[in-house]
Amino acid sequence: MVGPMSMSGARGLGVAQGFGVDVGGSGIKGSIVDFGAGTLAVERIRIPTPQPATPKAVAEVVAELVGRFGWAGPVGVTLPCVIKGGVAKTAANVDPGWIDTDAASLLSRSLGDRQVVVLNDADAAGIAEMRYGAGHDRLGVVLLLTFGTGIGSALFADGILVPNTELGHLEVAGGDAEDLAAASVKDNEHLAWKAWAHRVTTYLRAVEEVLWPDLIIAGGGVSKKADRWLPLLNVRTPVVAATLRNDAGIVGAAMAAAQGVQP
Ligand code: BGC
């Protein structure tokens, strides 16, 4: 099936379970996903990301991970890259060898030529949050932002994903937004919550200059501590914490694979 990635599409997944893999800078995590509950059906497995995280090395780890579950069906895989027709077009926080790699074909081959859908990590987290989490049944313009090593974005209009928005790379205060306000910057520069929230406010106001979202969902590891920083933001758009936490990428990847929609 080819068509836009949507909440309503997700409802018609047609199968009870799927499999998702989330490729991050430090870990590659995967599990079987229960589509009824929108949760992991079994405990996930995490394998450290090989360094350098070349396409070949990552493909081997993905095959090992899927094999450990004995899963034989379609597999969805996230990458921190723009993905066009299954091909990675950027590699901001991952090995540059991914650029122009046909990730969908490579991963399909490493998994015995089965159906594989590859999508941007924030887009995967977004489709999961829109179906099962903080964006459930939300129409209008909804923006999910993931604050981690970088800043990822997933934009929805009435539940339909606009893929590869890359709003983490807006130019803000003369530099790349994610160099200003990613969660990793808070750690690296030892910023207190207040100082970091001030930077996030600067960033969100830049986003608000070009978009008028009805809702912003804040995801990434720092969403666990949302009470420490969301109340400190000073922006016009309501901002809520993502609810699926670390599993959103895995769940969204599995949904995309079940839908068979390759962005
Ligand atoms: C990348 C995005 C990715 C985000 C979160 C950014 O640096 O450009 O593609 O979604 O990091 O991993």
Side-chain angles (χ1 to χ4, degrees), residues 181-216:
S184 61
V185 175
K186 177 182 185 303
D187 296 340
N188 296 342
E189 297 184 21
H190 308 291
L191 298 176
W193 286 108
K194 196 174 167 198
W196 183 65
H198 184 70
R199 291 188 180 200
V200 176
T201 292
T202 303
Y203 168 56
L204 294 182
R205 288 190 175 179
V207 171
E208 287 178 326
E209 267 177 40
V210 292
L211 279 179
W212 283 72
D214 297 299
L215 177 69
I216 293 174

Side-chain angles (χ1 to χ4, degrees), residues 79-82 90 92-93 120-122 146 150-153 166 169 178:
L79 287 173
C81 307
V82 166
T90 63
N93 290 306
N120 173 262
D121 55 359
T146 61
I151 298 177
S153 62
E166 293 292 316
H169 299 296
E178 67 179 25

Side-chain angles (χ1 to χ4, degrees), residues 27-92:
I28 299 180
K29 297 150 277 178
S31 186
I32 299 170
V33 173
D34 174 339
F35 289 134
T39 55
L40 306 189
V42 292
E43 203 177 322
R44 69 183 192 176
I45 291 179
R46 178 184 186 279
I47 298 178
T49 306
Q51 302 299 339
T54 60
K56 186 168 174 284
V58 168
E60 279 165 16
V61 171
V62 170
E64 183 192 335
L65 206 152
V66 175
R68 285 211 212 164
F69 288 87
W71 177 262
V75 172
V77 181
T78 77
L79 287 173
C81 307
V82 166
I83 305 290
K84 296 293 276 182
V87 177
K89 303 307 289 182
T90 63

Side-chain angles (χ1 to χ4, degrees), residues 126-244:
I127 64 171
E129 284 292 334
M130 293 302 284
R131 175 68 182 91
Y132 301 108
H136 183 66
D137 276 348
R138 290 296 298 245
L139 298 174
V141 176
V142 178
L143 178 65
L144 172 119
L145 295 169
T146 61
F147 293 88
T149 308
I151 298 177
S153 62
L155 180 68
F156 296 83
D158 286 345
I160 307 282
L161 174 69
V162 180
N164 297 311
T165 43
E166 293 292 316
L167 294 177
H169 299 296
L170 275 185
E171 189 179 318
V172 181
D176 199 29
E178 67 179 25
D179 295 338
L180 177 80
S184 61
V185 175
K186 177 182 185 303
D187 296 340
N188 296 342
E189 297 184 21
H190 308 291
L191 298 176
W193 286 108
K194 196 174 167 198
W196 183 65
H198 184 70
R199 291 188 180 200
V200 176
T201 292
T202 303
Y203 168 56
L204 294 182
R205 288 190 175 179
V207 171
E208 287 178 326
E209 267 177 40
V210 292
L211 279 179
W212 283 72
D214 297 299
L215 177 69
I216 293 174
I217 302 174
V222 277
S223 63
K224 271 181 237 158
K225 295 187 177 156
D227 55 326
R228 306 290 299 276
W229 60 282
L230 289 193
L232 304 176
L233 299 178
N234 183 7
V235 294
R236 65 167 180 249
T237 313
V239 185
V240 298
T243 60
L244 301 187

